[in-house]
Amino acid sequence: MAEVEAGGDEGRCVRLNAERAQELLADVDTVLFDCDGVLWRGETAVAGAPETLTALRARGKRLGFITNNSSKTREAYAEKLRRLGFGGPTGPGAGSEVFGTAYCTALYLHQRLTGPPAPKAYVLGSVALAAELEAVGVSCVGVGPEPLQGDGPSAWLDEPLEPDVRAVVVGFDPHFSYMKLTKAVRYLQQPGCLLVGTNMDNRLPLENGRFIAGTGCLVRAVEMAAQRQADIIGKPSRFIFDCVSQEYGINPERTIMVGDRLDTDILLGVTCGLKTILTLTGVSTLRDVKSNQESDCLSKKKMVPDFYVDSIADLLPALQG
């Protein structure tokens, strides 16, 4: 799609060439990046992306990484950033640039599960998600495979539940099963039990244009079965940005959000008053942008970035000039 086709009536979604990028970056202190589909696909860095981040660091820009992926701890994400050539802090506090939904979900539960009994969560998610929860004092049950027990529904409902579970947390869980769904619903029938979803992404992009089902598919299953609406932590929820803002002291007017999804990254940026850049190396396309611009739906019209690039490597000429 040509640049003239991408721009809307308000001049949004303009191709970010070197001259515009230089002007934009001159007024920016902080650049926030999504990870999957922006910096890398699976285990492969996007070409030119490591060099772009190195150049941004050299220019004194503060970097932050906001990911909806709950399958890694902050430290594990920091290690991946370094391993793929993106740099970043080392040693204690190495994960301080990373704001993943596992970490931010832990902060949320730490705020909500005050008072007795001691906080405990039934976790449909990864070992990493459980580790972040336990780091703030929330004990976890349910992680790992959980096959059906017994001959039918009566036996499934007779399976004992852990006492004092005060929240059901749904993250990325390759071991998601009907037994886990049944237990989650039973816990949620107990008074005061919270339902928390790490994010609502419907798919996770991998290498070569492939993808797998995302956490949002699992959250929807639990919501439908329990007839409850989950509290969502990740983008576009403002809570995850508030986590970043509290630790970074961000000035929204001097901050950019860079992402590959209109419905998470770009919507978060628009909602929080940030400048936004869509990169075309992940999920959303310029066709999606044009559809949103032409929509009569006000919520879709918000999902339009200020600028777009084919890849974040397009920022390099502005940084090297």
Side-chain angles (χ1 to χ4, degrees):
M1 185 180 296
E3 179 181 332
V4 66
E5 295 178 287
D9 293 337
E10 299 176 359
R12 295 171 67 196
C13 200
V14 176
R15 178 181 285 279
L16 191 61
N17 59 26
E19 182 180 353
R20 289 176 180 139
Q22 284 182 332
E23 294 174 356
L24 176 65
L25 291 169
D27 293 327
V28 163
D29 302 319
T30 305
V31 186
L32 304 177
F33 290 93
D34 177 44
C35 296
D36 299 290
V38 176
L39 305 181
W40 58 65
R41 301 184 193 92
E43 290 298 318
T44 304
V46 170
E51 293 82 359
T52 300
L53 267 65
T54 298
L56 284 167
R57 292 186 192 277
R59 288 292 186 96
K61 305 303 180 183
R62 180 172 53 177
L63 307 185
F65 305 96
I66 308 181
T67 173
N68 274 0
N69 194 326
S70 64
S71 65
K72 289 182 174 64
T73 62
R74 294 182 98 185
E75 289 72 20
Y77 254 106
E79 189 279 329
K80 182 172 183 177
L81 284 161
R82 293 192 302 273
R83 174 163 44 85
L84 294 184
F86 294 98
T90 59
S96 60
E97 293 182 330
V98 179
F99 297 85
T101 50
Y103 171 69
C104 293
T105 297
L107 297 182
Y108 181 79
L109 290 181
H110 184 65
Q111 293 176 11
R112 292 291 307 273
L113 299 181
T114 58
K120 182 189 295 185
Y122 181 65
V123 176
L124 291 81
S126 64
V127 172
L129 176 56
E132 294 284 22
L133 299 186
E134 289 172 351
V136 299
V138 179
S139 62
C140 300
V141 296
V143 176
E146 194 159 359
L148 284 170
Q149 303 293 331
D151 299 327
S154 294
W156 304 338
L157 294 173
D158 287 337
E159 276 291 298
L161 297 180
E162 288 278 343
D164 299 326
V165 167
R166 300 173 61 189
V168 170
V169 178
V170 186
F172 182 75
D173 188 357
H175 300 295
F176 189 86
S177 66
Y178 195 83
M179 192 70 212
K180 287 191 172 188
L181 179 60
T182 301
K183 280 195 172 182
V185 171
R186 291 173 65 199
Y187 282 121
L188 290 166
Q189 291 173 331
Q190 298 176 355
C193 186
L194 302 177
L195 173 57
V196 180
T198 59
N199 67 87
M200 291 301 295
D201 291 14
N202 59 1
R203 58 175 60 176
L204 179 65
L206 302 175
E207 301 97 331
N208 303 317
R210 299 181 301 166
F211 61 87
I212 57 175
T215 300
C217 304
L218 311 185
V219 176
R220 285 289 188 227
V222 177
E223 286 184 326
M224 182 170 287
Q227 296 186 332
R228 294 268 301 273
Q229 186 170 355
D231 298 332
I232 304 301
I233 303 302
K235 299 169 293 186
S237 167
R238 189 178 180 96
F239 182 82
I240 197 166
F241 175 74
D242 288 342
C243 293
V244 182
S245 187
Q246 288 169 14
E247 294 194 21
Y248 268 27
I250 281 178
N251 176 357
E253 294 181 354
R254 296 185 62 82
T255 302
I256 300 174
M257 179 70 216
V258 185
D260 69 309
R261 294 184 63 119
L262 298 173
D263 59 344
T264 57
D265 308 315
I266 302 307
L267 183 55
L268 176 74
V270 171
T271 301
C272 298
L274 316 179
K275 300 175 178 68
T276 54
I277 301 175
L278 174 71
T279 176
L280 302 178
T281 48
V283 174
S284 295
T285 66
L286 289 182
R287 189 178 302 276
D288 298 326
V289 174
K290 189 172 180 63
S291 175
N292 287 349
Q293 288 174 325
E294 296 175 348
S295 174
D296 293 328
C297 176
L298 291 179
S299 61
K300 285 192 174 182
K301 282 185 176 295
K302 290 179 66 176
M303 290 186 274
V304 175
D306 297 308
F307 304 98
Y308 76 92
V309 291
D310 292 326
S311 158
I312 64 168
D314 292 356
L315 297 175
L316 266 178
L319 294 165
Q320 295 171 340

